[in-house]
Amino acid sequence: MPAIQVTHCMSKPLVYIDQNMLGFQHEGKINFSGISDLRFVYSEVHFAEICKSQNPEKYLRALRDIGATLLKLQNDNFKITDLATLEEEGSPEEHYSRYMESISEVPFDESIFDPLQVWLNGGGNADLLRSLQHRISDHIQILNEFFPEDLRISPEYISNVMSEPLEQMISYGNDVETTRATLGGKKGHFGSIKGDNQLLQIWEIIKPFLPSCNTVTSDQFFGFEQIPKIENDPVSKYLGIVRCCAVLDILGFKAEKKSRRVEALANIRCDAGHIGMAAYCQALVSSDRKLSERAKAIYQYKEIGTVSLHFVVG
């Protein structure tokens, strides 16, 4: 059988390993090989990180050595669903090869909105933010080749529509501490929250500072539910977690300062992706303390049964 559906009644607990654990496995600092009562899994989020390495083979070899299985989320008309499967056949090298082939065929740049995200996180500059309209226009021009002429969008139209809102954002500035203060958080406030259900604590701080006419729920604020009249489709568990991580970066909860640098956002996205994919497993293992703590807070808030384990090496 090439793939099996992930359920709550798997014969062995599924343990999702963060990318950093593969490096330790390769270096011999840990040894997860031969552990028979657990099933280690990985996802294409690992491939997104591995392909940036000068030595992808060491990570693929580590996956093979521990007998890890590829975990995938199924798509329905290009929309991520909550149906997770384990790819029973194929080595990490074979799956990686197919991944690299697939991303070379699809002309979509997931970093296209990075200037906007960096700006919201309190980084970047005005020229970088202005470049967003040109990046999107260029991308639309490429994508238009895949659509009939009557469905194509004018790149010039996109550029003109975006120009005024971007200039308005620039005029407001991007002092992230001002943003957090507007939501009721003093400097370092959201990042210092401890105890039980930390996301709910954050929401209780923010809620009184929202406009009285605003009926947004906590799940909508954190990105787990669609916004009425703006989004039509339900938000998958994975996508909700990824969106929540972006909100938490703005708030400064278990956030990395590198989230303010455009060149580091790919790694920030991968961290969010790992937390999202691990939500379909019994455990997440990572040596990244902030990632582990953020995952634990998200899982508790959404009542997801995944246990987030911070693995200290040495």
Side-chain angles (χ1 to χ4, degrees):
M1 185 182 297
I4 60 172
Q5 183 174 343
V6 173
T7 69
H8 296 293
C9 303
M10 305 299 293
S11 59
K12 296 180 181 179
L14 302 182
V15 178
Y16 188 96
I17 48 172
D18 188 14
Q19 177 78 6
N20 49 40
M21 305 304 294
L22 298 181
F24 295 137
Q25 175 72 24
H26 171 75
E27 295 164 6
K29 294 180 179 179
I30 60 173
N31 185 9
F32 285 164
S33 304
I35 298 178
S36 59
D37 53 349
L38 301 175
R39 187 165 193 178
F40 294 108
V41 299
Y42 65 100
S43 72
E44 290 184 343
V45 180
H46 288 83
F47 293 158
E49 293 192 85
I50 289 172
C51 71
K52 295 177 176 60
S53 169
Q54 294 182 347
N55 184 12
E57 175 57 31
K58 71 177 185 180
Y59 296 107
L60 299 172
R61 188 184 307 116
L63 287 170
R64 188 175 66 248
D65 288 345
I66 65 175
T69 306
L70 178 64
L71 174 70
K72 293 189 72 173
L73 295 180
Q74 300 305 303
N75 290 305
D76 181 15
N77 292 326
F78 302 103
K79 297 172 185 174
I80 298 175
T81 73
D82 276 322
L83 177 61
T85 60
L86 294 174
E87 301 297 314
E88 296 279 67
E89 295 180 358
S91 66
E93 290 85 356
E94 290 169 333
H95 290 307
Y96 179 70
S97 178
R98 283 192 284 270
Y99 168 82
M100 294 301 293
E101 183 178 347
S102 68
I103 63 173
S104 68
E105 293 174 349
V106 179
F108 180 76
D109 181 7
E110 64 178 8
S111 69
I112 191 169
F113 293 104
D114 283 3
L116 175 60
Q117 187 62 52
V118 165
W119 182 266
L120 294 174
N121 291 346
N125 55 58
D127 288 339
L128 180 63
L129 184 60
R130 288 190 182 102
S131 74
L132 179 63
Q133 59 187 313
H134 306 299
R135 289 162 67 106
I136 294 178
S137 295
D138 292 344
H139 207 57
I140 289 292
Q141 193 162 0
I142 295 172
L143 291 175
N144 274 341
E145 298 177 8
F146 295 84
F147 292 95
E149 190 167 345
D150 59 330
L151 294 179
R152 294 177 181 177
I153 303 173
S154 166
E156 292 77 15
Y157 170 77
I158 296 296
S159 184
N160 292 336
V161 166
M162 293 188 63
S163 180
E164 185 175 341
L166 289 177
E167 290 301 325
Q168 193 172 45
M169 289 183 66
I170 291 169
S171 70
Y172 291 153
N174 70 333
D175 183 348
V176 74
E177 295 301 339
T178 299
T179 302
R180 293 167 184 170
T182 303
L183 295 171
K186 299 177 182 178
K187 188 171 183 179
H189 191 181
F190 294 126
S192 63
I193 287 176
K194 303 183 185 303
D196 193 53
N197 210 330
Q198 295 169 5
L199 264 62
L200 186 59
Q201 290 186 55
I202 291 174
W203 173 247
E204 292 301 325
I205 294 170
I206 290 172
K207 187 167 57 172
F209 288 86
L210 297 177
S212 58
C213 60
N214 197 323
T215 58
V216 67
T217 67
S218 59
D219 273 357
Q220 289 168 345
F221 178 84
F222 287 120
F224 294 110
E225 286 184 0
Q226 69 268 41
I227 306 296
K229 300 181 181 180
I230 298 178
E231 301 171 292
N232 296 320
D233 298 316
V235 181
S236 69
K237 181 164 59 176
Y238 170 82
L239 184 58
I241 290 174
V242 170
R243 289 168 28 149
C244 178
C245 286
V247 173
L248 296 179
D249 284 334
I250 296 172
L251 297 179
F253 177 77
K254 311 300 179 186
E256 301 281 358
K257 288 185 178 180
K258 63 182 180 181
S259 66
R260 302 180 188 181
R261 304 200 317 267
V262 69
E263 67 273 13
L265 271 195
N267 287 336
I268 297 296
R269 273 196 304 274
C270 286
D271 286 348
H274 287 311
I275 297 174
M277 291 302 299
Y280 299 86
C281 304
Q282 279 67 52
L284 163 65
V285 179
S286 174
S287 65
D288 184 328
R289 179 181 58 80
K290 286 187 176 179
L291 185 150
S292 299
E293 292 177 350
R294 176 179 283 192
K296 181 178 180 180
I298 291 173
Y299 297 156
Q300 183 181 26
Y301 172 78
K302 290 303 295 179
E303 297 182 347
I304 296 170
T306 306
V307 178
S308 179
L309 301 172
H310 178 217
F311 195 98
V312 179
V313 178

